[in-house]
Amino acid sequence: PQSKERTDYPKYGKKVADAVVNKEVDLGILICGTGVGISIAANKVKGVRAVVCSEPYTARLSREHNNTNILAFGSRVIGSELAKMIVQQWLEAEFEGGRHANRVEMIGNIETNFEC
């Protein structure tokens, strides 16, 4: 959003999700009050694996194990310094592949085939 006025966050979740799946950007970061609603909206776009994080450990593991491509958090939940730590851990982490690749593939299969 370009102002501090209230907005409908789903349209921004979709906009970032579309940019990620269309490879306009590598990764996306979304912020709303809790991070929950905007991540739900982003996760409706095929190919998105958005995660809500309130601490750095989950952010790192979400990339290493689930190859998340969108990070979301809540501006009412965490402060700016913690947000910086979460973003840093998420950006520095790399997908481990291996056994996790099979699980990420299964998640993708749910999107297309509705089964694992």
Side-chain angles (χ1 to χ4, degrees):
Q2 300 300 314
S3 72
K4 293 184 179 194
E5 290 183 36
R6 248 181 120 136
T7 187
D8 294 320
Y9 58 81
K11 64 183 173 183
Y12 295 101
K14 183 178 183 323
K15 185 175 184 174
V16 170
D18 285 342
V20 170
V21 298
N22 293 327
K23 305 209 182 299
E24 296 168 30
V25 296
D26 294 328
L27 301 168
I29 297 176
L30 295 168
I31 305 168
C32 71
T34 63
V36 174
I38 204 162
S39 67
I40 291 171
N43 275 318
K44 297 297 181 185
V45 175
K46 183 178 176 181
V48 167
R49 289 174 308 283
V51 62
V52 180
C53 290
S54 298
E55 40 75 30
Y57 181 72
T58 300
R60 173 170 287 285
L61 288 185
S62 78
R63 290 270 291 142
E64 291 177 349
H65 295 188
N66 305 110
N67 202 18
T68 53
N69 49 14
I70 294 181
L71 171 67
F73 53 86
S75 64
R76 295 182 200 150
V77 178
I78 61 172
S80 61
E81 291 305 310
L82 181 55
K84 291 175 192 175
M85 288 188 282
I86 291 168
V87 170
Q88 181 178 0
Q89 289 294 303
W90 189 70
L91 290 174
E92 289 177 356
E94 293 184 20
F95 183 51
E96 292 180 353
R99 68 185 175 155
H100 305 296
N102 185 50
R103 295 170 182 164
V104 170
E105 182 180 345
M106 292 172 75
I107 292 168
N109 287 341
I110 293 169
E111 289 179 330
T112 56
N113 304 325
F114 305 106
E115 59 185 66
C116 294

